[in-house]
Amino acid sequence: MAASTSFERAQRLPTHFAWIALAVGAALFAVNMTVLLLPSSPHSEHMRSVYAQPGVWIPLLSRVVTVWLLAATLAWCHARKALDERGAARVAQLRSPGSRFAAVYLAATVVNVLALTPLLYQAQVLFMPGGPLHEHVDMYGMRSLMAASMLIQSTLQMLVLIASVWLAAWFALRERGAALAGEPSGVPDLGARASPRNAVALVTAAIFVSLQSWIGNAASGWVDTSRESDLVPLLLGWFAAPLLICALAFWGGWLGAAPRPAQTRPFRAVAAAVSAFVLLQAVCAALAIGGLLWIASASFSGSSSDSRLVALAAVMVALYLVLLVVFVRAITRRFYRRYL
């Protein structure tokens, strides 16, 4: 009975890791916002008025949800990979993997918040109007430098997040001492209850929409957006559109993993999502540039370009959504071909 209980606990470890990553992120966000908005905090009244604007709190919520989703998905993948490679019996013999994961991930996240984030903010100030570089660079050059700065900062923050999850998972899942015993006989394989096909599709969709939202959040840092935008358009742009992309990516991953992989192999799903995302951006960027060049050449002949721009935008949106499913399906099938 004890062996069966520990076996079940090991099978649930990926879900536990994901919930721990979510809990750590949510707790630190709650503490940070509480300290920032407390009446006793400096400028608290001004900060509360700023964060009450939909143009501020909706993008902020989108950013934190993106970070939580990426961290939880990667945490799930590390634990699932350990189960695939070692078996549930060996994982069940690890000592308090959930507690060790939580401790290391919390420490890494706190260091990131207290050390790296202020440094990145100080670097960002250099490129802001009135900053040290403002007097030496014209407005066009300033916007270009700020765009490059935001892209680099966003990339660094993502790499730190990935490294933090990896470090916590490595510490929690490492085996000490002699080789652990093999999987005991007579214990049911609870992993068979879960659908590897659904797991592959979920990981693919989560990684894809995380990358999409991360790029959008990075771009919003230097694109001039109004804080006075209406609530409904903001919700549609920051949440409805990512949900649609997530659903389409799930569909593509589910089709690509048909009929059912023998093993989840979660980091193959991660690689498939990243590859599909990069390929989709490159193809759509090339098509958009080609369309803009065509419109520019047509405008020289005297025809209006406004309607052509609207038509190009509509066509690009439709193409993006269709190619998303096609690319995710094809690349997922390629990564999982040997396991189907």
Side-chain angles (χ1 to χ4, degrees):
M1 187 57 140
S4 179
T5 301
S6 61
F7 193 83
E8 293 178 6
R9 191 159 46 245
Q11 289 285 355
R12 292 194 295 268
L13 192 61
T15 304
H16 288 168
F17 272 23
W19 280 111
I20 288 170
L22 281 173
V24 169
L28 291 179
F29 176 74
V31 170
N32 181 57
M33 295 304 296
T34 301
V35 172
L36 187 64
L37 302 179
L38 275 177
S40 58
S41 302
H43 312 293
S44 60
E45 184 176 353
H46 172 70
M47 296 305 298
R48 285 196 296 271
S49 65
V50 169
Y51 280 99
Q53 302 176 44
V56 175
W57 68 263
I58 291 179
L60 173 64
L61 187 59
S62 173
R63 282 193 289 272
V64 297
V65 169
T66 300
V67 172
W68 298 348
L69 178 61
L70 182 59
T73 303
L74 292 176
W76 188 94
C77 289
H78 282 291
R80 183 69 254 177
K81 179 176 182 287
L83 285 172
D84 284 346
E85 294 181 349
R86 307 179 197 176
R90 290 178 64 184
V91 173
Q93 298 180 50
L94 296 173
R95 298 183 59 182
S96 304
S99 300
R100 290 193 288 168
F101 177 85
V104 176
Y105 184 64
L106 176 61
T109 307
V110 169
V111 170
N112 180 22
V113 171
L114 297 181
L116 180 61
T117 301
L119 287 177
L120 293 178
Y121 177 76
Q122 291 299 323
Q124 183 180 348
V125 170
L126 296 175
F127 303 95
M128 290 182 176
L133 298 180
H134 183 72
E135 297 179 355
H136 306 285
V137 184
D138 58 15
M139 183 56 64
Y140 178 78
M142 181 65 67
R143 291 183 65 86
S144 300
L145 287 173
M146 192 169 183
S149 171
M150 291 302 298
L151 180 60
I152 293 173
Q153 291 180 38
S154 182
T155 302
L156 286 176
Q157 288 172 336
M158 179 180 286
L159 292 176
V160 169
L161 174 65
I162 294 171
S164 299
V165 176
W166 173 85
L167 179 63
W170 172 81
F171 184 78
L173 297 171
R174 64 175 181 169
E175 298 172 338
R176 298 179 178 180
L180 299 178
E183 197 163 299
S185 60
V187 179
D189 184 6
L190 300 179
R193 299 178 186 176
S195 170
R197 186 182 182 186
N198 288 340
V200 168
L202 283 171
V203 171
T204 303
I207 295 297
F208 193 99
V209 76
S210 296
L211 293 174
Q212 186 74 70
S213 298
W214 203 291
I215 293 296
N217 290 323
S220 70
W222 59 274
V223 173
D224 186 18
T225 57
S226 175
R227 293 182 177 181
E228 299 179 358
S229 302
D230 294 334
L231 178 64
V232 174
L234 287 169
L235 289 175
L236 290 175
W238 287 103
F239 288 99
L243 285 175
L244 175 61
I245 290 173
C246 184
L248 293 175
F250 177 87
W251 187 25
W254 192 79
L255 292 174
R260 175 177 173 175
Q263 288 182 316
T264 304
R265 296 290 177 177
F267 283 103
R268 286 186 173 267
V270 173
V274 174
S275 301
F277 179 79
V278 172
L279 179 61
L280 181 60
Q281 308 312 306
V283 170
C284 288
L287 292 175
I289 292 173
L292 290 174
L293 292 176
W294 173 70
I295 292 174
S297 63
S299 65
F300 285 116
S301 62
S303 58
S304 175
S305 61
D306 292 342
S307 60
R308 295 177 184 272
L309 285 173
V310 173
L312 175 63
V315 169
M316 288 305 305
V317 170
L319 274 176
Y320 190 91
L321 298 179
V322 172
L323 291 178
L324 191 161
V325 178
V326 172
F327 287 172
V328 171
R329 179 192 181 280
I331 295 177
T332 302
R333 175 59 61 106
R334 180 176 180 84
F335 275 90
Y336 281 91
R337 182 178 300 169
R338 61 184 294 187
Y339 300 102
L340 297 174

